Structures are given as C-alpha cells and as structure tokens.
Amino acid sequence: MALDAGGWWRTNVACAAHGTDYMYLLDDSDEPLPDPRSRWQPYGVHGPSRTYDHAAFPWTDDEWTGRDLPGGVIYSVRVGAFTPDGTFDAAIARLDHLADLGIDAVELHPVNIERGSGHHSACWYTPHPSYGGPDGLKRFVDACHARGIAVVLDLAYDHLQPGAGTHRIGPYLAEVANTWGHTLALDGPHGAGMRSFITDNVLMWLRDYHADGVRLDAAHTLIDRDALLLVDELSTAVSALSISLGRPLALIAGSGLAGARFIPGPGADLADLLAPSPGGAAGITALDRDYGAEFGSLEQLFGILRAGFSTVLSTDRPTAALSPGLLRIGATLLLTAPSTPVLQMGEEWAARMPTPPEWGGVSALDWSELDKAEHRDMLDLHHRLIALRESQPDLAKPVLKRSEVWHGGSFLAIRRGTCVVVANLRRTPQRINLHGTARTVLAATEPGLALAHDAADLPGESAAVIACCRFDR
C-alpha cells in the first residue's frame, strides 16, 4: 500500500469482489490483522475481513418515507437477549408484538458487540456475526419498515478495544483510558482522520443499512479540544444525508450531563450538552463519571420534569424492587411525561430482567411470562397508555415548556395541555388538587378513583390521566 498526501494508505486489488477475505500485514510482522473499517467479519473481531457489496442486498422498503422520532415511543432492544436464539432473524419474529403495542421505533444496542461480551467495542463498521452479520441486520431493518417501525442504532464511540489490532494500524487511541477501554485520539495531527472514521461510520448505518437514526452513547466522554467540532460535523453530515435521501434522520446524543437529547440541525448551540461538569477535572475522573445515576427522590424527579432539559426519558426497569402499583405508576409517568419515552425490552409486561452482558450473562427474555395474568395486565396498561398518546396529542409532545409540575411528600402531578397526570405514591388513598376543573378520567391504573370538582381522590399506589378545563394556574 502507498501513503498518500492526506495520511491514508491505499491500494487497488483487482480480485477484491464481494465475498473476498483479506487481512493486513504490517512491515515485517507475520501477524495478520483485520481491517478497522471492515464491512464484514464472518469469523469475529480477530478473523479475516471480508469484502461486502452493500448494493447487493434486495431491499423491499422503497415506500418507506421515514418517521420523526421526537414524541414517539422508542423500544430498546439488546439483540442477544431479546430472544433465546439472540439473532436478528429471531427478533423479526417478535416485531408484530411491537407493532401491535404501538411502538414507533426500535433502538438497538451496539450490534458490533458480541452477545455477553459487555462493552468490548471493536470493528465498528460491521454487525457481529453472532447476530447474523450485515445481511441479518438489513433483513431486520427491512422487516421493521414493513411494519411502520423506525430503527435507531446505538453507537459507542466513547472507547475502542485494542485487542483486534486497530491501535497498531493507525493512531486511533489516545493515552487516556476509561472504564471500558481507551478513548479516541480526536485531537492532534490525526484528529481529522479520526473524526472521519466516526462520521463515515454514522453515515454508513443511515445510508447503507437504512437506519432512521443513531444514538451516540456517552457523548460527553468525547472530551478534547475538538469534541464540539465532531458533533457539529456529524449534525451537518446527517442533515445533508437526510435531504439527499428524502426522509428524516435522527441524531441523538446520550450524555450524563443532560440525559439524552435529539441534536438539532447545523448551527445549533451544543455547548450545554457536552460541556464539562462544574469543577470536574479533565482525564480519567471526568471520563468515568456515572452517567446512569439514579434519581432516587421525588424532589429529583420533580426537578427533572420542571427543568425539561431532557427529551429522551427511559427507565432501568426496577421490576423486582417495586410493587405492582408502583410499576404501573412508573409506566404512566414514563409514557405521559414531556419526553420521548424509551421502553426497555420486556418492560411492557414487567418481565424478569435478563442478566446484563457486563455481568457475563447470556440469558434472554422469557416470552412465556405473557401467559400469566399479572404480566398480561401490565401489557394491557401499556397498550392503553400508548393508544392514549395517539388520541391526546398533548401527551405526545416531547417538550412542553408551558407544562406545570407540582408535588407533595408522596404525590406528583404534571399538567400536559388540557390533561393532568397524577400519581399517588403512598399506600393509602390521597386527594390531589388538579388546579383545574375535572372533566373525565382518560386512564387509571387502579379502580376506585373519584373526581371532586378540582381534585381527584386516588387509591393507594395509583396514577391517572384526567382531562380538565378552566385551570386556575
């Protein structure tokens, strides 16, 4: 290979047709290394790379025009734990369940990471063969679009594992490490090449795999002089691709500093999203901040809802820790708060959580739980709440700056346009002031709710959505 003026090594190989295996040799080393930009790794991250022709796949989604994600209901899936087989094709067999539930988009956790391997990120440009490889992912996306469901891909750029030899092929890694691996060398003499490595990857998923959006996991860990430039470049590139393809594309940044946000188009002020935390030092301490910290008190939840800084709200599925009543309250708040809700897989029926990959587990959702009455009741509640979002546009707005939130020691109320969402978190009945005239109950998690002009008497551990008029505040 020859080095060009831009710092890239290039060569033309006449026999490199679709399906050709290849590897790299560096200098006098006899150790073959895979391509960091490999489109296909049929033997895993350490095996030979294989050429792949994206144009050869027989797509059937020509009529798909995309979907605007803000305000929709997103369903988060770990492919390896979604079904016992843990493949894209097995997941396709469960898509009718999601379509019937009313899901707008499926968010896939990083598909380049093998099931059970935790956060070992390598080979960013190809889905792992254990899930079904490139064709398997395309079949899944095609099947989602046939059912009116968009697809969002989680992309983990906060670290890169050196095990596949990437660090030997180019200046990809910085000296700074975090919990999951090495961070990327985004600044310095090769910063432009690294940003291209990421930007080209994002565009590939959206263009060649027909994805409808990408989520940058832990975007706040891209701490260097060019971090904002990278997000600006991504925003500009994704907006241009959206225009070219004629369908909406979403770019979402997950950040421990501001939850998760949809990134607006070019020129928007992104400083608040990726700014270092007050008093936080650069380096490993800043990179290892716990961006998944729990909000343990009602006061914290109140502050989040009132501030409105997050447009994507998700849960950690505390199924085993909470009573059925509190789980139903959680579902109501998640699906009616001023956010874009993200349901964890199986959360709609209060499923037993599979063992997380980072714990070395490879267990899967137990779909037979749907045969049990308590799980069917929870599924029915999610059906009703998602249908209510469709019939009441005020409940589906992801950001409602005029919304009001009030609470006491054991209750919470949120005004969403002409609707008020109320939750009684104590075990005994409680009257909650609606600050408006109650008209009708649109949804309730428990029987026995009574309206009293400008208040609602809620049973213990219950929630309701109430249509009101003539508000006094």
Side-chain angles (χ1 to χ4, degrees), residues 11-23 49-53:
T11 190
N12 291 319
V13 181
C15 65
H18 176 81
T20 301
D21 289 353
Y22 68 100
M23 298 191 84
S49 301
R50 180 172 292 176
T51 57
Y52 180 83
D53 181 8

Side-chain angles (χ1 to χ4, degrees), residues 1 37 40 47 74 82 91 94 141 147 170 186 245 248 257 264 268 279 298-299 306 316 407 422 455 460-461 465:
M1 304 181 76
R37 289 192 179 223
W40 195 1
I74 301 176
F82 190 50
R94 293 295 182 180
V141 175
R147 292 162 174 82
L186 289 174
L245 296 177
L257 307 181
L298 198 58
E299 185 67 35
R306 191 172 187 179
D316 61 356
H407 76 97
V422 288
E461 292 189 347
V465 182

